[in-house]
Amino acid sequence: NIPAAPDISVSGHGTHVAGIAAAPIDGTGAVGVAPASASHPIMPVQVVLNSRGDSTDATIMSGITYAVNHGAKVINISSGGPGYSQAFQDTVNWATKRGTLIVASVGNEGLADNGLNFPAGYDHVIGVGAQCDGVVDAPYCPTAYGRAAFSNSNFSVDVLAPGVNILSTLASGVVDLTEPAGYGRMEGTSMASPFVAGIAALAYSSHPGATPFQVGRLIEMSGSRAVAGFKRNDTAGWGVVNAVRSVNGTAPINDITEPNDDVNWVPSTFNIVLSNTAPI
């Protein structure tokens, strides 16, 4: 298990992400989407190996295990990379069965290889892309409040959330000279993901007993495309999230069969013999 720990990254990435999701209402600075409190604390779990912020499947899976075993209902993972791992998918399924929803950033390679990143690409994970702010700034934000062009576009995208010019908390020793001490601005799908994690926390609070499936569908069906009657697509998923609709909406009927991913235990090859005398 990886214990809860302070942010060791030189960029303060983890602290910035945590502040977006849950900075408390303390009369100072920014306030998170689902403000942390004594009764609803944030659980910082260190999954990076060094000050550069490097992580592995093993460290993130250990972090998920730690968080679930210590009562986390929502896990935000603003990290990822290429390469499917069945062990990681099994870890996601394990967390989901225990009532924990995982939210993850889809990646920032939209203007390059636009690759599929994990854990956002796994089943039962809410993959979050980045929405621009109101400033048109090519090539990253060609349309005000549209999808950021750097945000990956593929089947991992479930919803969009603000991910450009986001003000949040900074770790001790990290300085943004354009903002007051302790605060700074960053951008990326890493910043968009905790917005959705915060909304998920609020939806759990407003829907006692809801499952990860129900909370995830509440968020998706409250997205701008879904409300407008459009289908999901790889660019925007179900559209831009809406906290008010997610929190106040009616939870869908739970799918008691989810997660149902035991197919991975079926042998991948079969010895099948066809007879040319069998009737058609």
Side-chain angles (χ1 to χ4, degrees), residues 1 43 45 47 54 59 61 75-76 119 121 132 137 144 167 169 186 188 195 205 238 253:
N1 286 345
M43 185 190 302
V45 179
V47 298
D54 298 329
T59 60
M61 286 189 291
I75 295 176
N76 179 77
C132 291
D137 182 17
L167 177 68
T169 48
M186 295 185 185
F195 273 102
S205 294
W238 290 104
I253 297 174

Side-chain angles (χ1 to χ4, degrees), residues 8-31:
I8 64 171
S9 169
V10 294
S11 68
H13 179 273
T15 301
H16 197 270
V17 167
I20 295 168
I25 302 173
D26 58 6
T28 302
V31 175

Side-chain angles (χ1 to χ4, degrees), residues 79-149:
S79 181
Y84 176 90
S85 164
Q86 185 60 57
F88 206 137
Q89 179 66 76
D90 291 344
T91 301
V92 171
N93 295 347
W94 172 85
T96 304
K97 289 177 181 178
R98 282 154 182 78
T100 301
L101 179 65
I102 298 177
V103 182
S105 53
V106 300
N108 305 318
E109 299 83 33
L111 289 171
D113 60 8
N114 191 38
L116 180 63
N117 283 323
F118 297 91
Y122 290 122
D123 292 338
H124 316 302
V125 174
I126 301 296
V128 186
Q131 178 197 26
C132 291
D133 60 6
V135 178
V136 176
D137 182 17
Y140 300 115
C141 285
T143 304
Y145 302 111
R147 179 186 71 93

Side-chain angles (χ1 to χ4, degrees), residues 116-250:
L116 180 63
N117 283 323
F118 297 91
Y122 290 122
D123 292 338
H124 316 302
V125 174
I126 301 296
V128 186
Q131 178 197 26
C132 291
D133 60 6
V135 178
V136 176
D137 182 17
Y140 300 115
C141 285
T143 304
Y145 302 111
R147 179 186 71 93
F150 61 75
S151 183
N152 285 9
S153 175
N154 51 53
F155 76 77
S156 69
V157 182
D158 293 305
V159 289
L160 299 181
V164 173
N165 198 30
I166 305 300
L167 177 68
S168 186
T169 48
L170 289 182
S172 176
V174 180
V175 177
D176 181 342
L177 296 178
T178 65
E179 300 297 338
Y183 298 90
R185 295 181 183 272
M186 295 185 185
E187 62 187 30
T189 58
S190 283
M191 284 62 248
S193 185
F195 273 102
V196 178
I199 292 172
L202 295 177
Y204 267 119
S205 294
S206 63
H207 297 80
T211 66
F213 170 81
Q214 290 175 297
V215 171
R217 291 300 287 161
L218 264 172
I219 292 171
E220 292 169 349
M221 292 299 94
S222 297
S224 57
R225 287 185 61 82
V227 170
F230 297 116
K231 295 181 179 179
R232 181 210 162 273
N233 64 28
D234 284 352
T235 300
W238 290 104
V240 179
V241 291
N242 186 302
V244 173
R245 285 198 292 257
S246 297
V247 171
N248 293 325
T250 300

Side-chain angles (χ1 to χ4, degrees), residues 37-88:
S37 64
S39 59
H40 294 85
I42 192 168
M43 185 190 302
V45 179
Q46 181 179 301
V47 298
V48 298
L49 298 167
N50 50 48
S51 61
R52 296 192 305 271
D54 298 329
S55 60
T56 67
D57 281 356
T59 60
I60 299 176
M61 286 189 291
S62 293
I64 292 172
T65 303
Y66 178 92
V68 172
N69 284 337
H70 287 77
K73 296 289 289 182
V74 180
I75 295 176
N76 179 77
I77 304 175
S78 288
S79 181
Y84 176 90
S85 164
Q86 185 60 57
F88 206 137

